[in-house]
Amino acid sequence: MHLGLVGLGKMGGNMRSRLRDGGVTVTGYDRNPDVTDVDSLEALVAELPSPKVVWVMVPSGEITRATVEELIGLLGEGDVIVDGGNSRWTDDEKHAALAAEKGIGYVDCGVSGGVWGLENGYALMAGGDAHDIAKVQPAFDVLKPEGESGFVHAGSVGAGHFSKMVHNGIEYAMMQAYAEGFELLEKADLVENVTEVFDSWRVGTVVRSWLLDLLVKALQDDPGLSKIRGYAEDSGEGRWTVEAAIDHAVPTPTIAASLFARFVSRQDESPTMQAVAAMRQQFGGHAVQAASEAGHDPADMDARPS
């Protein structure tokens, strides 16, 4: 397979490496001249054999919309565009309709795996027509983790990103639960080895998970998490999950509460939100704010408000 890949940042760059390691020829384009293979989208499309498959890995919103619209102008009948970013599923429906006017297929793909995906593989949730999915399948097979699981054709256009959105809503809630438990253990004088307690849960318990592994790693690197501010951004997908739950009259109180907790984190320092920020950094390489950025001396963090 010969694939075009647009966007070679943290995720896209690692995906290019994994694809190439798996035998897929990749022509990548990025505005950063240090990482790009070609100097324009036109040059990328020109290098691809037909049917052409172009995978887009750029930030959701206007950048994705502009990129997809430009590709629709460059591609032709039988070609396929894959949006692998974190777009909202309603955008997929609009993009697919525009692409269909020229006979271009459209696949939306939720991608999970963060900075660890290069080594471990990426969980992939795809939406689109089965004929279009088949054209991209060799890339899916290389990107996914080893084994039977890790890839799903979730349904029609939009189903992939909708599934990834719900995945991220669940992720919010899981992280919040671990983080609240961290703060409670820290505040209780009875428990002397908080990091070791979390580490003991990683084997044999019903709460073991990769997120727990990453929290333990963060605590081992920075016991007490004194170097990280308790400030956590939200990617937008938590908000979309809650909005979808409202639209479908599905009660999601845990996911909603975890989203609102992130808003609280932008107002006060909180050990709970320090733990959430640490986990986001561990699995996705998301930026964190050092305690010193808020005028806090890490040595004085025991005096921070809770």
Side-chain angles (χ1 to χ4, degrees), residues 138-257:
F140 291 144
D141 291 341
V142 172
L143 288 170
K144 67 180 286 294
E146 294 183 9
E148 296 299 318
S149 299
F151 168 79
V152 60
H153 180 189
S156 59
V157 167
H161 280 147
F162 193 92
S163 299
K164 177 60 164 43
M165 176 195 73
V166 175
H167 164 282
N168 280 25
I170 294 170
E171 176 189 294
Y172 275 43
M174 291 175 64
M175 292 169 67
Q176 188 67 25
Y178 285 134
E180 290 173 6
F182 163 74
E183 180 169 4
L184 181 56
L185 287 167
E186 281 280 293
K187 289 294 181 66
D189 293 336
L190 188 65
V191 179
E192 299 177 0
N193 303 305
V194 174
T195 299
E196 288 81 354
V197 169
F198 274 99
D199 189 44
S200 74
W201 294 350
R202 295 172 59 202
V203 180
T205 75
V206 296
V207 299
R208 63 189 184 275
S209 74
W210 186 42
L211 281 174
L212 180 60
D213 294 341
L214 295 175
L215 178 55
V216 170
K217 183 179 184 303
L219 289 170
Q220 290 170 340
D221 293 343
D222 178 17
L225 304 178
S226 62
K227 299 177 183 177
I228 297 177
R229 281 193 65 201
Y231 182 105
E233 289 286 1
D234 65 288
S235 64
E237 290 181 290
R239 302 184 189 209
W240 301 341
T241 304
V242 173
E243 290 171 2
I246 293 170
D247 291 341
H248 293 278
V250 174
T252 56
T254 306
I255 293 174

Side-chain angles (χ1 to χ4, degrees), residues 91-147:
D91 288 343
D92 295 320
E93 295 167 349
K94 297 174 185 175
H95 293 159
L98 287 174
E101 293 177 2
K102 288 189 60 179
I104 299 169
Y106 187 90
V107 171
D108 60 288
C109 185
V111 181
S112 182
V115 295
W116 298 83
L118 173 60
E119 178 181 354
N120 299 333
Y122 301 88
L124 306 168
M125 295 144 269
D129 182 82
H131 185 65
D132 295 325
I133 294 286
K135 294 178 183 178
V136 192
Q137 196 64 53
F140 291 144
D141 291 341
V142 172
L143 288 170
K144 67 180 286 294
E146 294 183 9

Side-chain angles (χ1 to χ4, degrees), residues 38-61:
V38 292
D39 60 7
S40 67
L41 283 180
E42 293 92 338
L44 179 145
V45 169
E47 287 204 8
L48 300 176
S50 294
K52 303 175 189 290
V53 177
V54 181
W55 189 307
V56 179
M57 286 298 295
V58 300
S60 62

Side-chain angles (χ1 to χ4, degrees), residues 17-35:
S17 296
R18 185 173 176 89
L19 285 163
R20 287 176 172 173
D21 290 345
V24 175
T25 301
V26 181
T27 299
Y29 169 69
D30 194 279
R31 288 181 293 181
N32 180 353
D34 294 332
V35 299

